[in-house]
Amino acid sequence: MAVDVEVLQALIDEKLTPLVKKIDEEAYYAEDFLVALGRAGFFHSSQKDEHKILLDELTIVQETAKVCMTTAFCLWCHLAALTYIRKTKNKQLRAEILPLLESGELLGATGLSNPMKFYADLEKLHLSAERVNGGYLVNGILPAVSNLADNHWFGAVAYNGEKEVMLFVNTDNPQITLKEKIHFLGVNGSATYTCKFDNVFVTDDYVVAQDASGFVDMIRPTFVLYQIPLGFGVIESSIIGIEKVKAKQNGCNEYLQIQADELAQKLQQLEDSLETLVQSDETDLQAICQLRLQTVYATLAAVQANMLHNGSAGYIVGSAPSRKLREAYFFANLTPTVRQLEKMTKVLKVAE
C-alpha cells in the first residue's frame, strides 16, 4: 500500500501550514507535526521491503517540503536517525529504540555533518572516545546538529584511539551542553544546536557500530537519497508560485526565459531518475550524488525563476518566494554541500 497522500495532506494542512510563517520568522520548531506523522504510522517499516520504505518516506519528505522545507529538513534528520537504527547490528539497541522512533514517541537527528566531512577529507573529526569499562567517555564539540529538543536522540562518531566508533546519544544527558543556533539566513526553525560533550558516558548498549567508517559507507547512500526530495518539494512549490502570477502585468511573464512547464519537465525527469535509483538492486553512490547535485542546481534555478515571475511582491519580507529562495540556498549548503558534492562526484568517477 502506498502512502495515503490524503491523510498526509490533512496532517500538513492541520499541523504545519498554519505555522509556516512562525517557523520561518520566529524559529519555531514544528515538533508536533513530526510526532503526528509517527502516530499516524508514516514511519512504520514492518511488512515493507527496503524499496517500499524508501519510496514511501521519500514521498513524505517531498510533500512536506512543498509547504515548509525547514520542517522537511527536520523530517530528513529523523529519517537519518531511523536509518542508523534500522541498519545497526546492535540488536538490543534496535529492539529498544526503533519502535519508539517509528511511532513518533521519540524523535531523532543525524549528528553526522562533521563525520561526513571527515570521511570526505574536508574536516578533522571533532569528537574523541576513550574506552572505559562498559562503554566510552566522549569529549568534544559538534558545531551543528539539527532537529534537537528535550529527549531527542542523535548519532555521533568519535575517534577511540584506533578507529572511529558510532554512538547513539540522548539530549537529556547532563554532560551534553546544547547551545541553540538561530542566526541563519533561513531554516531557523530547524532546532539546530551546538553540542558540547564533557566526559559523556555512552554504554555499549548504545553503540551503533564499532566500525563507524564501514557503517557510514553503508548508510551514506540512503543518507543522501533522503535529501533529494527536499529540493523536489521546493521546485514543485516554485512552479505553483509561477503559475499563480501567470497573468501579472498583462501576461508579461511569458517573456521570461524560464517558464513553469520547463521546470515541471525537469522535475519529472529528476523524479523518474530517483525512482529508478531506488528500484535498482545496486546502491550507486556516484549516481545518487550526481542526482543530488542536479537537484541542487534545478532547485536554485526554480526559486530564482519564482522570484523573477513574482517581481517586487517576492521581495517583501515574509513573502513565499523569498522564503523558497532562502530554503534553496540552505539546501545547497546541506551536508553534503554543493561543493562537497562537486568533489565527491568527480573523485568517485575517477575511482571507477
Side-chain angles (χ1 to χ4, degrees), residues 80-91:
L82 271 172
T83 300
Y84 307 157
I85 305 305
R86 287 169 178 165
K87 299 289 188 180
T88 183
K89 292 182 179 178
N90 186 334
K91 294 181 180 179

Side-chain angles (χ1 to χ4, degrees), residues 35-176:
V35 171
L37 287 176
R39 288 177 177 168
F42 284 104
F43 303 138
H44 289 172
S45 61
S46 60
Q47 300 180 329
K48 290 184 180 181
D49 61 26
E50 190 162 353
H51 294 161
K52 186 72 170 66
I53 293 169
L54 282 170
L55 288 172
D56 285 353
E57 293 177 344
L58 290 166
T59 298
I60 298 164
V61 173
Q62 182 168 345
E63 292 300 313
T64 302
K66 281 167 58 177
V67 175
C68 178
M69 203 203 78
T70 300
T71 304
F73 165 62
C74 290
L75 172 57
W76 167 76
C77 294
H78 182 69
L79 293 175
L82 271 172
T83 300
Y84 307 157
I85 305 305
R86 287 169 178 165
K87 299 289 188 180
T88 183
K89 292 182 179 178
N90 186 334
K91 294 181 180 179
Q92 182 177 336
L93 176 59
R94 188 166 62 245
E96 177 187 342
I97 300 295
L98 184 58
L100 301 177
L101 290 174
E102 291 195 340
S103 68
E105 189 170 338
L106 290 178
L107 293 177
T110 73
L112 258 63
S113 179
N114 167 240
M116 287 294 185
K117 292 184 176 75
F118 168 73
Y119 288 120
D121 198 27
L122 300 177
E123 288 185 359
K124 294 181 179 180
L125 201 61
H126 293 325
L127 297 183
S128 63
E130 178 188 353
R131 182 66 189 173
V132 294
N133 186 32
Y136 293 92
L137 282 179
V138 183
N139 286 280
I141 297 175
L142 291 179
V145 182
S146 300
N147 200 47
L148 294 185
D150 293 342
N151 196 27
H152 281 43
W153 291 81
F154 64 99
V157 173
Y159 182 63
N160 70 2
E162 297 178 355
K163 58 183 180 180
E164 301 84 49
V165 59
M166 183 166 173
L167 313 164
F168 210 53
V169 296
N170 189 284
T171 55
D172 286 356
N173 190 308
Q175 302 307 117
I176 296 178

